[in-house]
Every structure is written in structure tokens, then in C-alpha cells.
Amino acid sequence: MNGSPVRRLDAAFFQRDCLTVAPALVGKVLVHRLPDGTELRERIAETEAYRGTEDEACHAHKGRTPRNSMLWREGGTVYVYLCYGIHSLANVITGAAEAPQGVLLRAGYTTPGPGRLTKALQIDRTQNGLAITGDVLWFEDDGARPPILTAPRVGIGYAGEPWLSMPWRFLAGDVSSSNK
DNA sequence: TTAGTGATATCC
DNA sequence: GATATCACTAAA
């Protein structure tokens, strides 16, 4: 028994720098337990780090607003926001309180695209602000350690250099789709 | 390539 | 109150 022990990631895991947490989350399993007890799981295949007010691609760059105030909370909080009026994008807040940074969950092994990932897990804005270490939403580490690839972030054309070129996108190297 | 979608931020 | 913007997806 316990051939492959599964452990839940605790708050301390997320209270580190987003550049440490983002690659560490690749290969982990995000679990969402629905009110009826159903558990939806998705292994994370791609993340991006958004780090601080200096990062022009980070929502925190423009200043604190009701929408992005979640970024200033301490690590271990889920930040869900609606993009383009259609898609809920899920982020996990990392680092200490008052350090606005987070990790965007861009894709799962079976769900390419951040909007599709949240749809598959049935995550929307009603989950905003939940703890990622609670009994509704949590991460599991089942021992998988996929190779990690890095790449520049995408979809942030409004940000200037050097942020546009920062290799803060992390992908699992064993996903069999042509990630490019 | 373009359209669609709705909340948020910014301007008056 | 009005307009511009957006870390996307689907359809063509």
C-alpha cells in the first residue's frame, strides 16, 4: 500500500516566491470538490508567473483595485477573474501578504487553454478568494516529476520589455501536444 | 483571420 | 453615464 503516496500541498508551499511555486505546480493535480461530493481533478501542464508591481504584465502593476486586491493576500489563496466576458481564469496567490504575485494556471494535461481548464474543473468567479488548501479546492502531489520547460509568457503584448521576454512560463515536458 | 462576450478601469 | 480594454476561444 502507499506505493504512490498522495499528499496535499499546504499553505507553506504557496508562501514562497512565485518563480519557485510556478514550476513546482507543473505536474501537480488540482482537485475541486463540488457541493454534491464529486471530485474533479486535472493535472497541471502549464503555468505562468506574475510577479509584483514592477511586472508590467501583472494585474498589480496598475495599482490595487477591488478586482485584483486578491494578489496582495498571502500565498494559498485562489484568484479567479473573468476575462473577455466569457472565460474564468484561475490564479494561485503566492508569496507573503503585501507581496502582489501569483501563478496563472494556463492548461491541464487534458485541457489546453486557461479558459477551458477552469471550465473543465467548473471553477468560476464564485470560487474567488477561496483557500487552495481548503476542503473544496486543493492541490495534490502524487509524486509525478515531469521535466519542466520554460518559455516567454504569451498574451501580454501590452507589456513592454523586459517583461515580455521573461521566461516565466512553465510547461510540462511530457505533454504530447505540440505546445508552441 | 475575425467576431463575440461582459466585467473593469478610466474618462468626462 | 460612456467608452476602451482585456492574461480567450471558436469559427472560418
Side-chain angles (χ1 to χ4, degrees):
Chain A
M1 57 197 80
N2 297 337
S4 41
V6 174
R7 67 183 182 88
R8 282 159 68 145
L9 302 183
D10 60 16
F13 178 93
F14 299 99
Q15 286 163 8
R16 297 181 293 166
D17 193 277
C18 62
L19 294 180
T20 300
V21 176
L25 283 180
V26 174
K28 299 298 186 292
V29 179
L30 177 60
V31 185
H32 178 202
R33 195 174 107 180
L34 303 181
D36 69 3
T38 303
E39 291 185 356
L40 300 174
R41 323 179 100 78
E42 182 67 33
R43 191 181 301 279
I44 300 303
E46 183 176 347
T47 64
E48 280 181 7
Y50 287 86
R51 190 169 190 266
T53 52
E54 287 185 345
D55 179 359
E56 294 180 9
C58 183
H59 282 174
H61 173 65
K62 289 185 292 187
R64 192 171 186 158
T65 68
R67 180 209 201 187
N68 65 24
S69 63
M70 211 61 72
L71 286 166
W72 275 262
R73 294 179 58 167
E74 66 180 3
T77 303
V78 177
Y79 166 39
V80 184
Y81 74 95
L82 197 63
C83 180
Y84 295 106
I86 299 177
H87 308 289
S88 298
L89 270 58
N91 299 243
V92 179
I93 303 309
T94 64
E98 302 309 315
Q101 51 173 255
V103 175
L104 169 65
L105 307 178
R106 279 197 72 84
Y109 273 54
T110 60
T111 56
R116 295 175 135 208
L117 173 66
T118 52
K119 184 181 174 189
L121 286 169
Q122 296 182 32
I123 291 173
D124 58 32
R125 279 165 52 264
T126 65
Q127 322 292 328
N128 191 27
L130 283 183
I132 194 64
T133 52
D135 53 7
V136 174
L137 228 39
W138 67 89
F139 269 102
E140 287 180 353
D141 177 3
D142 63 2
R145 291 292 184 275
I148 307 295
L149 306 178
T150 61
R153 294 174 292 180
V154 295
I156 54 167
Y158 57 89
E161 296 289 355
W163 313 109
L164 206 46
S165 302
M166 290 292 186
W168 288 355
R169 180 184 181 206
F170 303 92
L171 311 106
D174 59 350
V175 178
S176 59
S177 68
S178 48
N179 279 302
K180 182 62 219 302

